[in-house]
Each structure stands twice: as structure tokens, then as C-alpha cells.
Amino acid sequence: MAASGIDITSLTEEQQLALQQFTSVTDQELDQAVPLLQKCQWNAQIAITRFFDGDADTVDPAAEAAQPQAAPPPPSDSARRTETLMDSITRSPTSSRSSRRDGLEPAPRVVPTPESQLSQQLPFPFSILLLPFNLTYTIFQRLLGAVGYVFPFLPRLVSRFYSGRASQPSRDTGRRPLSPRDTAARFMREFEEEYGVTHGTLPFYEGGYAQAFDIAKRDLRYLLVVLLSPEHDDTAPFVRDTLLSTDFVNFAKQPSSNILLWAGTVQDAEAYQVASALNVTRFPYACLISHTPSVSSTAMSKVATSAGPVTAPELIQKMQTAMQERSQELDRIRRQRQEQQATRDLRHEQESAYERSLAADREKARKRKEDEAAREKAEREQREREERKADQARKLAQWRRWRAQSITPEPGTEIKDAVRISLRLSSGERVIRRFQPEAQLEELYAYVECHDLLKNNETEVSEKAVEAPDGYEHEYKFQLVSPMPREVFDAAKGGRIRERIGRSGNLIVEQMAQDDDEEEEEGGGGGGGGGGGGQQQQQQLKMHTPLTLPLILTTLLPLLPLTVLSAPTALAPPSPFTLDATARTAGDNDPKRLIKRNVGGVRLCTGSDWTGWCDYVIWPLNECISLNDYAGHVLSFRPDEDTECYLMQGRCDSNNEFADLRYESQGLGSLEMLAFVANTSSYQCMKPLEF
């Protein structure tokens, strides 16, 4: 059957499974595997056994009988031959006829039969009848054995007249049966001890005959079987002169010979069964077994035999001749198997590459799903945040409308004890409003929060009733601060406006830092959120430029427009100032060389980095000090420790921009970075408040 004519898809699932199992074990092509499986009724185990036994071409009698065919002619008398029972078991007529046509005798694969199956115990009645004969035989055997021990020459003399001894193999039933590997090890040990050679002199295979047979068949090697019988006189000379000769040892060990040497003595059960299967009639015996593709794709045949004593050159010549005759066929099968193996390797690599590609695609799909899930989660969270912000904004707008309705109207001029508050809003707008004497501080915060509604929609607020939003607790995002002295009026502390601030006050609205969640949301918005934060900081700086923390000035100065002033080279010291005895002169750039420092003292210079004219002066705290001739020219300004000073425009005008300076503030020697430094004309110092 041609390979192209086999349709695997037409086979059932069980047949395909049997075919896969057979080809994986025997490494056969489909055109050779399918016919054998069909003959074995698709039984993979039977097909594998027949393949290794060399009976692949044997026709199953049941299958042959099921197919209609012409009856074969009766065999002629010349074709008949006498067979022993072992021959009829190990070799079928069909395979024998096919091998004989090529002049080759098949070499069977012999599996050692257990010792218990070599002889069958007679039934008990027959044992009783044969008991006298067994006793007589045992007595005579012991007597003759004793005579042979006393007179050793008698057994050899008798053997000369008993010719049948040389043609029939015998075995010692008293030897302990072992496994094939242990039997081979025992033979090698006895061989080395008897002939005085070292281990490895001859490359005997350390295993059973069936294992050596399978290796030779799988690897296309020559199996050289040597069978010895210690009872024959020719065994010892054959071993010493032929097997242990230098030429034969080199021939057996030479890698180019590709020989697998297996030997045994017929005293062992395995070697005895091999001798019977190979039809050995004379010892010593040597047989060369090889794969014969001309017989069948699985056949193993005897290609050369040698029985009886023979010299080493003759044995080597016979084996080499047989090997040369089969070398071309074996080379062709090797190339074919190499091609098949290369095809299988290529198919395996393609399957591996496909599996890797499939795994990569699965990984990409998994990552894509994870990315989609992460994107959907981010979008869902963004929607939730936007919904929360929208709901928060809606509730805030509702609360502001509701709170604007409850704000007490501004009292008239007839109320003499009303509180007057001046507010500087975050937008820079200046607002002045009067409040009731008993008004709470929260009322002032609510007014600032709802100022835009009260200013633009005061009529609408008063006419429409709005309820407070459910589940909403308002928090003010700003604080009211008195600039001089600086004091924060926190709404959480409560109290009345009159008690906390007084009858009048000048307050600044400062925005507080946003919550962490809101900062993260603004940060997630990209660069636009950062820019908005910078504009808010610059707007807050224009209000009063607080520098209470050491790093604030360094952070905010790059946001201000750059204005560099040139200090005059010859500026007379201001006459109202009282100079300290350790004050520096023009060009002194070391602000820390003053020996004595006092609370309320300041050091100022007309140049950057403490250059130009420098003075150290001390004036009372909480008083507005005029700069006189230094007005508009102070580029370096440092208060003493525990002192906070406001460098201001005009006559301590808190409505304009000013700088809040402390000893630990950064950038005190680079005030030219302030946009309003040219307009500075006064300052006021105080003890810093602790929050």
C-alpha cells in the first residue's frame, strides 16, 4: 500500500491511536505500519511483538481465512522438511518460505522462558509408575559419576564412541537460573576466570539476547552471536586461538565494524534456548545476524554462520564478506532513517515554534485584556470622580444659595456699635461691610463664601427659598488673616466677630491647600493643572508674598517678573538711623559678621548678595519704620532670629504687595527678583506667631 493511498481520516479513533502507538515504538512509515496493524486486527501490542520478532510478513490465519482466495497447491514432497517442535513454534511457514527465497534464514527474537516452563511435571499416577526407573537412574548416575571422578580419562574415552554428543546441545540443570543481565554477567566472570583475561578484553554485551537483538535492529548494527559448550573439547582451543586472538579482538572492537557481540554458554537456559532457536548442531558456534530489507522492512536474518573450530582469519573473512554484501542495503536504510528523523525533527521544531507563537499570541491577548480592563477601570474611576465632583459642585452651589438667604443684612448707620470689616478677596477686590455686634465669625466666613451671589443675584436669593442639601457638610477652603500683626482667624474656633477681631479690622482672604484627593485629580489632569497651581501661587504672592517658610521664596521667585536694580555707588546713609558700631561699610558681603544680634534688628544692603552700603539697625517692634534714603534700593534684607518683618510699599500700606521675611527665609540677598522692590519705602517688624 502506497503512502499516498492511505487516508488517515478514514480510520476510527481507536485505529488512529493504535497507529500512533505502533509508529512511535517501531519508527515505521505509514505504508508499512498500516498493513501490519490490519493483519493484527489493529492490536498495537501484537503488531509490535511481531515486528520485533521478525514476523511482520506472517499472515494471520484468521484474517487469511476470512478473505476469499484460491486454495494454494499442495506442497510437493521435496518441499516438505522435518521440523522440530521448537522450529514450528519460533518460525512460521510463510516467513520461512519468503526467507528461503532470498537464501537467508530468519533469526528469531528469543525471550528466555522461565525455568518452571522448561519442563512440565508429570501427573501423579505416572510419577508412581516411573518411580522405580527414576531411582535406578539416579543410583547408576551417582556410581558412574564416582567412577568418572576417580578415572577422569574414562568420560573422554567414552565420548569418542558416542557421536550424538557433538550434535545435540545440553545444559546443566543444576545451575541457578538468573535474569538475562545477571546471566550475562556470570558468563563474563566465568569466561575471564577460566581463560585468564581481564574485563573488557572482548566487548561482550552485558545483557540478554533479546535486548541485544532489539539494539541491533534499531541501530542497524551487526549482531555477532557466539555460543559455547564447555563439554566439547574444541571449545577451549577455539576461545584461545580464535576469540582471544589479536586480529579478532581488534575486529570486534573496531568502531567501523559496527558489531554488537553477545556470547553465552549452553549451560544457561537463555543460551540453550537461543541455540535451539538458531538450529545449532555443532559447537563452538558463531552467527552474524543483520537486518535484511530485501526480505521485509522488519526482518532480521542470519547472514553468516560458523560451526565447529575455525581459525581467526577464516572467521573474520567470513564475517567481513557478509558485512560487505549487506552494507549498501544498510546504508540506504540509515539514510532513509536519517531523512525520517530530520523530517520528524523539523516537524517537532515547527510544532514547537507554533506552540511558542501561540503562547506569545495568548500572552498578547492576555495583556490586551488586562490593558482594556485597566483602561475601563480608569475610565470608570474618572467618571465616578467627575460625578462626585459634579455632585459636590451642585451641593456646594445649593448650599451657597441656601446660606446666602440666611445671612443677616448689613446694619444701617444708626447702629453705632456695628463691626466694620475691610476684606481683600482672592481676586484682589476690596470689600468693606458692616456686621451686627452679635454676629458670629462664621457669618463673616459665609459672607465671603457667598459674596458673588449677594453681589450679583441678591434679589433672586431673597425671593427664592432654597433648602440645604442633604448629607452635605460644608468646609471653607480659605482663611481670614490679619496682616499686621499676622493672625489667623479660624472659623472652627468660633466666637463673635467683635470679640475676635474688634470693632474694625483689615483682613486678607487666603486660600488654603486643597485636599490630597483633589490634588491627585488635578495632577492627573496633565500639565494644565500644574500651570493653574502656579498662577494661583503667583496671585497669592501678589497679595502679600509670605516668606514664613525657608523654601517658599526660592519656589516662588522664578514665577515673578525679573526686575534688576542697580544700587547707587555713593549713597549717603539715612540720617534718622542709628548705626551699630559693628556695621559694615560699602562692599562688605558677609552678613554674619555682626557680633551682637538682637530681637527687632535688621541688616540691609543696597546691593545683591550683601554688597553696596550695608547697615544694621534696631527699631521698636510693631512700629512702621521708614527707609528714608534706602527707599527703593534695598536688595538684601535679613531680620534677626525670632524676628519677622514686612518689607512694604508706601507707609506700611498692607493693601499693596509686600514681602514677609524671616531670618531663615531663602533669597534674602536677592530681593531684586521681587517686582515691587523699587517701590519699597518702609518695613515693620514683630515677633513671629507660633501656630
Side-chain angles (χ1 to χ4, degrees):
M1 181 181 293
S4 59
I6 298 176
D7 187 8
I8 301 180
T9 58
S10 61
L11 303 178
T12 63
E13 183 178 356
E14 291 79 5
Q15 293 175 352
Q16 293 181 4
L17 182 61
L19 178 62
Q20 180 181 2
Q21 182 180 359
F22 179 81
T23 54
S24 62
V25 174
T26 61
D27 195 20
Q28 293 295 304
E29 293 295 333
L30 296 180
D31 57 347
Q32 300 173 357
V34 172
L36 181 56
L37 287 171
Q38 290 176 348
K39 294 176 183 178
C40 298
Q41 301 297 320
W42 293 98
N43 191 317
Q45 297 297 332
I46 296 177
I48 292 173
T49 303
R50 296 179 67 174
F51 171 80
F52 285 107
D53 288 344
D55 297 337
D57 294 335
T58 302
V59 180
D60 188 1
E64 187 176 11
Q67 297 179 359
Q69 57 182 359
S76 60
D77 295 338
S78 60
R80 295 189 179 94
R81 64 183 180 87
T82 304
E83 294 181 344
T84 63
L85 179 61
M86 185 64 68
D87 293 335
S88 63
I89 294 176
T90 59
R91 187 169 59 252
S92 62
T94 305
S95 59
S96 300
R97 286 195 297 269
S98 60
S99 299
R100 292 299 183 182
R101 283 196 296 267
D102 294 334
L104 298 174
E105 184 178 353
R109 179 179 183 270
V110 178
V111 179
T113 304
E115 184 71 17
S116 59
Q117 299 180 7
L118 292 178
S119 61
Q120 186 175 4
Q121 187 176 3
L122 293 175
F124 182 74
F126 288 97
S127 299
I128 297 298
L129 295 176
L130 297 177
L131 180 59
F133 299 99
N134 292 334
L135 292 176
T136 305
Y137 175 76
T138 302
I139 293 173
F140 275 98
Q141 184 182 18
R142 297 292 179 85
L143 291 175
L144 293 177
V147 174
Y149 179 77
V150 176
F151 303 101
F153 62 92
L154 290 178
R156 291 194 295 271
L157 182 62
V158 174
S159 64
R160 294 178 180 271
F161 301 97
Y162 185 59
S163 58
R165 187 177 178 84
S167 60
Q168 296 294 333
S170 63
R171 55 182 293 272
D172 185 3
T173 57
R175 288 173 67 89
R176 180 182 177 184
L178 300 175
S179 64
R181 177 175 290 274
D182 295 337
T183 300
R186 180 172 62 182
F187 167 77
M188 295 172 59
R189 183 177 64 255
E190 294 177 351
F191 183 87
E192 294 167 1
E193 292 175 355
E194 182 175 357
Y195 298 104
V197 295
T198 59
H199 182 73
T201 302
L202 283 174
F204 291 121
Y205 176 72
E206 300 181 6
Y209 170 80
Q211 289 79 11
F213 186 90
D214 295 340
I215 293 175
K217 186 174 184 178
R218 181 192 63 195
D219 299 339
L220 297 179
R221 300 178 64 180
Y222 297 100
L223 176 60
L224 179 58
V225 179
V226 177
L227 297 176
L228 305 177
S229 177
E231 299 177 355
H232 290 71
D233 297 336
D234 297 331
T235 299
F238 175 78
V239 173
R240 292 190 182 94
D241 300 336
T242 303
L243 295 184
L244 296 180
S245 65
T246 305
D247 295 339
F248 185 82
V249 171
N250 295 335
F251 171 73
K253 289 185 175 182
Q254 190 175 1
S256 59
S257 299
N258 198 19
I259 288 179
L260 184 63
L261 179 61
W262 185 87
T265 174
V266 293
Q267 291 179 334
D268 296 325
E270 182 181 20
Y272 180 81
Q273 296 178 42
V274 172
S276 299
L278 297 179
N279 298 326
V280 180
T281 58
R282 188 178 181 185
F283 293 94
Y285 179 81
C287 175
L288 186 65
I289 299 175
S290 173
H291 174 54
T292 52
S294 59
V295 177
S296 69
S297 59
T298 60
M300 295 286 287
S301 305
K302 297 188 295 183
V303 296
T305 58
S306 175
V310 63
T311 62
E314 294 176 354
L315 181 60
I316 296 173
Q317 180 65 29
K318 182 180 293 186
M319 300 301 169
Q320 288 180 345
T321 302
M323 292 165 60
Q324 292 177 358
E325 293 177 355
R326 302 296 172 184
S327 61
Q328 294 183 356
E329 291 183 349
L330 295 181
D331 291 341
R332 178 177 59 83
I333 298 301
R334 290 191 186 97
R335 290 192 298 269
Q336 182 179 358
R337 291 187 178 182
Q338 291 176 358
E339 294 175 357
Q340 295 173 357
Q341 184 65 32
T343 303
R344 283 192 295 269
D345 294 341
L346 179 60
R347 183 169 60 251
H348 178 70
E349 292 178 359
Q350 292 175 350
E351 292 176 354
S352 301
Y354 173 75
E355 292 294 337
R356 291 193 299 270
S357 176
L358 183 60
D361 294 340
R362 291 174 179 172
E363 182 67 17
K364 291 180 181 179
R366 184 186 64 81
K367 290 183 177 180
R368 183 167 58 253
K369 291 181 179 179
E370 291 180 355
D371 294 342
E372 292 177 356
R375 184 172 60 255
E376 292 177 356
K377 180 180 179 182
E379 293 176 354
R380 182 173 61 257
E381 293 177 352
Q382 180 65 20
R383 288 194 301 269
E384 293 176 356
R385 284 195 299 266
E386 292 177 355
E387 291 175 358
R388 286 196 301 268
K389 289 180 64 176
D391 182 68
Q392 191 74 7
R394 180 184 59 80
K395 291 182 178 180
L396 175 60
Q398 182 180 352
W399 182 90
R400 292 176 64 190
R401 291 194 299 270
W402 168 79
R403 188 65 181 87
Q405 292 177 350
S406 60
I407 294 177
T408 305
E410 184 176 7
T413 57
E414 65 276 4
I415 300 177
K416 301 302 182 182
D417 57 350
V419 180
R420 181 178 179 277
I421 301 298
S422 176
L423 297 169
R424 181 68 176 270
L425 302 180
S426 301
S427 60
E429 180 183 359
R430 190 76 175 181
V431 178
I432 299 176
R433 193 182 190 277
R434 295 162 58 87
F435 293 88
Q436 295 291 344
E438 65 279 1
Q440 297 293 322
L441 184 62
E442 194 275 337
E443 184 82 7
L444 178 57
Y445 270 84
Y447 174 79
V448 175
E449 185 73 55
C450 304
H451 175 263
D452 54 347
L453 295 178
L454 296 173
K455 177 181 177 182
N456 299 327
N457 302 318
E458 186 172 358
T459 304
E460 181 181 353
V461 170
S462 61
E463 292 178 355
K464 295 182 179 180
V466 180
E467 296 180 355
D470 297 334
Y472 177 77
E473 183 178 354
H474 183 71
E475 294 181 2
Y476 294 103
K477 304 298 183 182
F478 60 90
Q479 60 185 4
L480 300 179
V481 181
S482 175
M484 295 182 301
R486 178 178 175 83
E487 182 179 1
V488 179
F489 300 98
D490 191 359
K493 295 180 180 180
R496 294 191 302 175
I497 301 176
R498 188 181 182 87
E499 295 175 354
R500 296 286 303 277
I501 302 176
R503 294 190 59 182
S504 64
N506 187 10
L507 303 179
I508 298 175
V509 179
E510 288 185 356
Q511 296 292 335
M512 294 187 299
Q514 297 180 349
D515 296 338
D516 295 339
D517 295 339
E518 295 178 358
E519 290 178 358
E520 292 179 358
E521 292 175 2
E522 291 179 359
Q535 295 177 1
Q536 181 179 359
Q537 292 178 356
Q538 187 174 5
Q539 182 179 6
Q540 182 178 354
L541 179 64
K542 290 181 179 180
M543 292 165 52
H544 66 280
T545 315
L547 298 179
T548 57
L549 296 178
L551 298 178
I552 291 181
L553 185 59
T554 305
T555 305
L556 299 181
L557 284 177
L559 303 176
L560 300 176
L562 180 62
T563 303
V564 181
L565 302 179
S566 298
T569 57
L571 180 65
S575 55
F577 282 20
T578 301
L579 298 181
D580 188 89
T582 59
R584 300 299 97 197
T585 59
D588 185 3
N589 58 358
D590 187 1
K592 298 183 180 180
R593 291 181 58 185
L594 297 176
I595 299 176
K596 182 179 179 181
R597 309 295 292 175
N598 299 278
V599 177
V602 297
R603 178 178 178 79
L604 49 86
C605 296
T606 59
S608 300
D609 198 14
W610 313 100
T611 59
W613 284 100
C614 297
D615 288 323
Y616 176 76
V617 295
I618 302 175
W619 287 97
L621 298 177
N622 300 322
E623 295 290 341
C624 184
I625 308 301
S626 177
L627 291 176
N628 295 339
D629 293 341
Y630 282 94
H633 299 286
V634 177
L635 301 184
S636 299
F637 190 100
R638 181 187 296 277
D640 286 345
E641 296 181 4
D642 298 329
T643 303
E644 181 179 3
C645 296
Y646 293 161
L647 185 60
M648 311 180 74
Q649 304 180 54
R651 183 67 179 174
C652 295
D653 185 5
S654 62
N655 294 326
N656 295 321
E657 301 165 307
F658 63 92
D660 187 356
L661 308 178
R662 288 190 179 185
Y663 177 80
E664 63 271 13
S665 300
Q666 300 290 330
L668 298 179
S670 303
L671 297 183
E672 70 273 8
M673 301 297 294
L674 299 175
F676 59 87
V677 70
N679 299 327
T680 55
S681 58
S682 61
Y683 71 94
Q684 182 178 6
C685 295
M686 65 207 76
K687 288 186 66 64
L689 296 177
E690 300 297 335
F691 297 97

